[in-house]
């Protein structure tokens, strides 16, 4: 497979001399800081890496020569001569972010400055357990790359968020695309001929919030993904928590109702059966069928099959009492579940993401009220309940963040190995 010699050696370090290994880490360490901070001067890089100014000067020149770093001109004076600022060349590398969904999937290409190229592209295709699905998605992604005129040599890696039980370490999904002996990671790597990083969709979205959204600069955050189901990504002590086997965060499958409805996981009364987007649609469909008076009808124009969580939210925004009550009920169920999590994790913030997040206050107000009822005030008082601002970008932005997390994983946080 095609590993990038600057960013990903993946075990190929043994082919390098000691000096080569040292240089690889030194350059990657500079690139990591430039990626995280945007632009830095030579003295600032010295401080961050503990390397001497002449060494940084030499390494920066090499990186500029390799078209990886750009001299961005003069920065602000910190006393004395104003230093030159350096940043990663946005065109140095590109990353493919993919967010797989049950009904449709999203693909976006990013430059290494986290900027999206053109737009997010959506393909309406059922997440089917077959090679045909992978072939189709790959074809779609390649079309986007080709249209953007980006050379495949400049694609660093691919990040993919997948719904369901996912083990990022082995690259396997236990819920989808497990038709072969090979892991999902391997199946996609065969197609793209690039390193592929996968994780559960809710955890990927949490990474997106951590890198680009409301969880930025926070250390303990629970990120909920409420779409067809309910998933959760946990940032604990500033790191994404994956659990022993990579399954942490299955918040949707905690039991909330005795003898409740049968869940897709095979158990009864899971939170997902009463508080997900699908649950919202099911209840509304039953109630409308039973003759309940609601303004949702006006939006459906007689076609009950068009009912979706988006329509219910829209109807609530137009003042429909039935839809408002329905969303409040979902908030109450979520609040009951979240009360337990607040007692266990004492988070700074809980971010509600996914399709249902656009309900904003219609859901968060009732979550707050329920939390007031069921949590110890001192533990809860500083926990912010927020709805994600990343919208439809969350999945692909998270996939981009997943790639960069993995790319820089072998570089120590601040000081580098010498
Ligand atoms: Zn379940």
């Amino acid at each position: 497979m095609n590993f990038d010699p600057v960013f990903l050696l993946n075990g190929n370090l043994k082919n390098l001399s000691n000096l080569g290994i040292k240089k690889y880490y030194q350059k990657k360490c500079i690139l990591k800081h430039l990626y995280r901070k945007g632009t830095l001067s030579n003295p600032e890089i010295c401080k961050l890496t503990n390397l001497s100014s002449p060494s940084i000067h030499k390494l920066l020149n090499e990186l500029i020569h390799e078209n990886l770093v750009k001299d961005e001109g003069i920065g602000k004076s910190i006393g004395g001569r104003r230093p030159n600022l350096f940043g990663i060349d946005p065109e140095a590398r590109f990353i493919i972010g993919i967010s797989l969904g049950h009904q449709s999937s999203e693909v976006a290409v990013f430059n290494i400055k986290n900027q999206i190229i053109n737009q997010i592209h959506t393909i309406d295709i059922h997440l089917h357990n077959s090679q045909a699905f992978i072939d189709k998605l790959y074809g779609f992604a390649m079309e986007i790359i080709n249209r953007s005129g980006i050379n495949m040599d400049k694609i660093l890696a691919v990040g993919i968020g997948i719904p369901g039980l996912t083990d990022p370490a082995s690259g396997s999904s236990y819920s989808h695309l497990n038709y072969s002996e090979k892991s999902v990671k391997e199946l996609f790597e065969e197609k793209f001929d690039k390193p592929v990083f996968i994780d559960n969709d809710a955890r990927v979205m949490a990474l997106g919030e951590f890198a680009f959204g409301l969880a930025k600069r926070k250390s303990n955050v629970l990120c909920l993904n409420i779409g067809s189901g309910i998933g959760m990504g946990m940032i604990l002590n500033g790191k994404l928590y994956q659990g022993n086997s990579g399954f942490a965060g299955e918040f949707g499958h905690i039991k909330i109702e005795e003898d409740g409805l049968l869940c897709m996981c095979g158990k009864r009364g899971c939170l997902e059966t009463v508080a997900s987007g699908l649950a919202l649609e099911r209840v509304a469909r039953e109630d409308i069928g039973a003759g309940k008076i609601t303004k949702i009808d006006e939006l459906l124009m007689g076609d009950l099959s068009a009912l979706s969580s988006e329509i219910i939210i829209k109807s609530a925004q137009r003042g429909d009492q039935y839809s408002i009550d329905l969303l409040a009920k979902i908030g109450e169920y979520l609040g009951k579940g979240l009360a337990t999590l607040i007692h266990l994790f004492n988070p700074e913030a809980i971010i509600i993401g996914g399709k249902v997040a656009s309900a904003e206050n219609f859901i968060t107000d009732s979550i707050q009220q329920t939390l007031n009822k069921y949590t110890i005030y001192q533990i809860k008082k500083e926990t912010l309940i927020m709805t994600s601002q990343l919208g439809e970008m969350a999945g692909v932005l998270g996939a981009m963040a997943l790639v960069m997390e993995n790319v820089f994983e072998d570089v120590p946080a601040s000081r580098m190995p010498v």
Side-chain angles (χ1 to χ4, degrees), residues 95-146:
I95 291 97
I96 304 170
I98 300 178
S99 174
L100 298 185
H102 292 281
Q103 311 296 335
S104 63
S105 294
E106 282 139 13
V107 179
V109 182
F110 294 86
N111 68 22
I112 198 160
K113 285 252 187 179
N114 303 327
Q115 291 154 334
I116 207 158
I117 308 296
N118 295 326
Q119 61 181 86
I120 299 176
H121 304 265
T122 305
I123 176 170
D124 290 322
I125 171 178
H126 280 255
L127 181 45
H128 190 258
N129 196 19
S130 67
Q131 182 68 37
F133 174 86
I134 292 191
D135 292 347
K136 216 164 182 180
L137 194 81
Y138 167 73
F140 183 68
M142 286 310 291
E143 216 182 288
I144 294 163
I145 296 164
N146 291 336

Side-chain angles (χ1 to χ4, degrees), residues 252-253 263 265 267 270:
H253 300 285
C263 179
C265 72
K267 313 278 179 205
C270 294

Side-chain angles (χ1 to χ4, degrees), residues 121-320:
H121 304 265
T122 305
I123 176 170
D124 290 322
I125 171 178
H126 280 255
L127 181 45
H128 190 258
N129 196 19
S130 67
Q131 182 68 37
F133 174 86
I134 292 191
D135 292 347
K136 216 164 182 180
L137 194 81
Y138 167 73
F140 183 68
M142 286 310 291
E143 216 182 288
I144 294 163
I145 296 164
N146 291 336
R147 253 188 287 145
S148 66
I150 294 165
N151 190 322
M152 269 315 265
D153 288 347
K154 286 207 166 181
I155 303 283
L156 174 56
V158 184
I160 305 178
I162 304 178
L165 294 180
T166 312
D167 179 4
S170 67
S172 312
S173 163
Y174 295 87
S175 307
H176 303 285
L177 302 170
N178 49 7
Y179 57 87
S180 138
E181 294 278 284
K182 292 175 185 159
S183 68
V184 192
K185 179 182 161 75
E186 287 170 316
L187 290 168
F188 276 109
E189 281 180 342
E190 265 179 15
K191 287 305 249 181
F192 284 101
D193 195 26
K194 294 283 172 188
V196 172
F197 302 100
I198 69 152
D199 206 336
N200 162 272
D201 58 352
R203 281 204 298 268
V204 165
M205 284 165 86
L207 268 182
E209 292 291 345
F210 193 43
F212 308 109
L214 294 169
K216 213 171 173 177
R217 286 185 281 278
K218 289 188 168 56
S219 300
N220 294 290
V221 185
L222 307 178
C223 302
L224 263 61
N225 173 21
I226 312 178
S228 322
I230 298 177
M232 182 174 67
M234 294 182 271
I235 307 286
L236 300 177
N237 290 330
K239 288 204 93 168
L240 186 70
Y241 182 72
Q242 286 166 328
N244 179 45
S245 332
F247 300 147
E250 288 298 335
F251 180 52
H253 300 285
I254 62 165
K255 196 178 185 75
I256 205 95
E257 282 205 314
E258 259 333 296
D259 296 324
L261 290 168
L262 188 65
C263 179
M264 57 166 275
C265 72
K267 313 278 179 205
R268 279 189 184 277
C270 294
L271 182 64
E272 199 165 287
T273 64
V274 288
S276 62
L278 281 181
L280 194 65
E281 289 164 23
R282 190 199 64 243
V283 176
R285 191 167 285 127
E286 284 168 5
D287 287 348
I288 293 169
K292 196 100 184 171
I293 295 167
T294 152
K295 286 190 174 165
I296 295 175
D297 283 338
E298 288 172 16
L299 292 166
L300 290 175
M301 289 185 290
D303 181 11
L304 195 57
S305 69
L307 184 72
S308 64
S309 49
E310 286 97 328
I311 285 192
I312 298 167
I313 293 165
K314 209 184 224 177
S315 177
Q317 286 159 345
R318 289 182 170 196
D320 174 41

